[in-house]
Amino acid sequence: MDRILREERKYILGLCKKIKKAGCTVVLIQKSILRDAYNDLSLHFLAKMGIMVITDIERNDIDFISRSLNCMPVAHVDSFTADKLGSAELCNEVTMPGGTQRVVKVTGVANPGRTCTILVRGTNKLTLDEADRSIHDALCVVRSLVKKRFLISGGGVAETELALKLSKWAKEQTGMKAYCVRAYAEALEIVPFTLAENAGLNPINIVTELRKQHAEGNTDAGINVRRNCITNMSEENVIQPLLVNTSAITLATECVCMILKIDDVVPVR
């Protein structure tokens, strides 16, 4: 038994020496679900060598950390070389103001990637999840604006105007095409209808008034949830990226076309 422990100690010490030889001073270890990625003996050896160890890194964070610190993930110590390491002036553990939580802060990165870290704090997990969802939605809006740099009025303006134009065009068509275009126009009015309903307004009255104003030529008329009425969205500065609307309409149309191609459904139990 003593021989096994000595061999284990010798093997772990050899791994730690390889890490030290590569010139590494901070090691980030990914969380493993199959086995322990480290043990107390390895942490002891690394601490004596002056190497800081950060454990339980989530798998989803590996790519972000690699791009931020300009380093490469290493699967085994045998491939642990100096060219795969990143460089930073300081890496330390700090206590967050107003609390007892401690986080690892890396500053002075030599060649930082085009990444950004947002630290979210809350009283409970529900608050954190809601904040995370809001940040994700905001980032998606910025992404949409970067991909297609066009802005349109919000508040259901685009859907109402498009529904009005399609309704007029449907009257010029005949047969099945006219019916499909009319149904498509009615489906687009679901967006302002839902917006008014979520704002606590009377959706039937609001959509009817919105349709009337667009028919009179007020193309920027939209639902103002703050004043509970129909106002000019451009004057209210309520805008949104064009890509949000085009993507939603395109995906919804593709989904309907896919469903219409289904001839029969085979139940499986």
Side-chain angles (χ1 to χ4, degrees):
M1 189 66 184
D2 293 340
R3 182 179 178 183
I4 295 176
L5 293 176
R6 284 197 302 270
E7 290 297 327
E8 179 188 11
R9 183 184 181 91
K10 182 179 179 181
Y11 177 75
I12 294 176
L13 182 59
L15 296 178
C16 295
K17 287 182 178 179
K18 290 181 180 179
I19 297 175
K20 180 68 175 179
K21 184 178 179 181
C24 178
T25 55
V26 180
V27 178
L28 291 87
I29 303 177
Q30 178 184 325
K31 181 188 293 184
S32 176
I33 60 174
L34 299 178
R35 61 186 185 278
D36 292 334
Y38 58 92
N39 57 16
D40 294 337
L41 187 59
S42 62
L43 296 179
H44 170 71
F45 285 143
L46 292 173
K48 290 186 66 175
M49 295 177 183
I51 299 176
M52 180 181 180
V53 181
I54 304 172
T55 60
D56 296 337
I57 303 295
E58 294 291 343
R59 182 183 181 88
N60 299 333
D61 297 334
I62 294 298
D63 180 63
F64 172 77
I65 293 174
S66 300
R67 289 187 287 112
S68 300
L69 302 181
N70 194 26
C71 59
M72 294 181 61
V74 178
H76 196 271
V77 179
D78 291 340
S79 57
F80 203 98
T81 54
D83 59 317
K84 297 180 180 179
L85 302 179
S87 178
E89 294 180 0
L90 179 63
C91 178
N92 61 334
E93 191 176 26
V94 298
T95 303
M96 297 303 300
T100 59
Q101 297 88 357
R102 300 179 67 85
V103 297
V104 178
K105 185 178 181 181
V106 181
T107 56
V109 180
N111 297 302
R114 300 180 62 181
T115 59
C116 179
T117 301
I118 301 177
L119 184 61
V120 182
R121 302 173 64 191
T123 55
N124 50 52
K125 191 175 185 302
L126 182 63
T127 305
L128 290 176
D129 292 340
E130 184 66 19
D132 179 66
R133 185 191 63 80
S134 301
I135 293 173
H136 179 268
D137 292 345
L139 292 176
C140 288
V141 171
V142 175
R143 170 183 170 274
S144 300
L145 187 57
V146 170
K147 292 188 67 175
K148 184 173 289 187
R149 300 184 180 183
F150 293 97
L151 290 171
I152 60 175
S153 300
V157 171
E159 292 80 4
T160 305
E161 184 66 20
L162 187 57
L164 181 64
K165 298 296 184 182
L166 287 176
S167 298
K168 292 182 179 179
W169 186 51
K171 296 177 182 178
E172 302 174 1
Q173 308 301 316
T174 59
M176 184 63 70
K177 186 175 182 180
Y179 180 81
C180 293
V181 174
R182 191 181 307 111
Y184 200 101
E186 293 175 358
L188 286 172
E189 291 186 346
I190 295 295
V191 175
F193 187 94
T194 305
L195 181 61
E197 194 174 34
N198 291 341
L201 307 176
N202 189 323
I204 298 177
N205 295 340
I206 290 294
V207 173
T208 303
E209 177 64 22
L210 188 61
R211 191 187 302 121
K212 174 179 174 294
Q213 292 202 24
H214 275 263
E216 294 175 353
N218 189 4
T219 56
D220 283 330
I223 303 174
N224 191 329
V225 297
R226 298 175 182 173
R227 301 182 183 179
N228 298 334
C229 61
I230 305 297
T231 58
N232 191 304
M233 292 291 101
S234 297
E235 296 177 356
E236 297 288 343
N237 199 25
V238 178
I239 54 178
Q240 64 185 35
L242 174 63
L243 186 61
V244 174
N245 292 70
T246 55
S247 297
I249 294 175
T250 302
L251 293 175
T253 306
E254 291 177 354
C255 180
V256 172
C257 293
M258 181 180 64
I259 294 175
L260 291 175
K261 291 180 181 179
I262 300 175
D263 298 324
D264 196 5
V265 178
V266 180
V268 179
R269 296 180 180 177

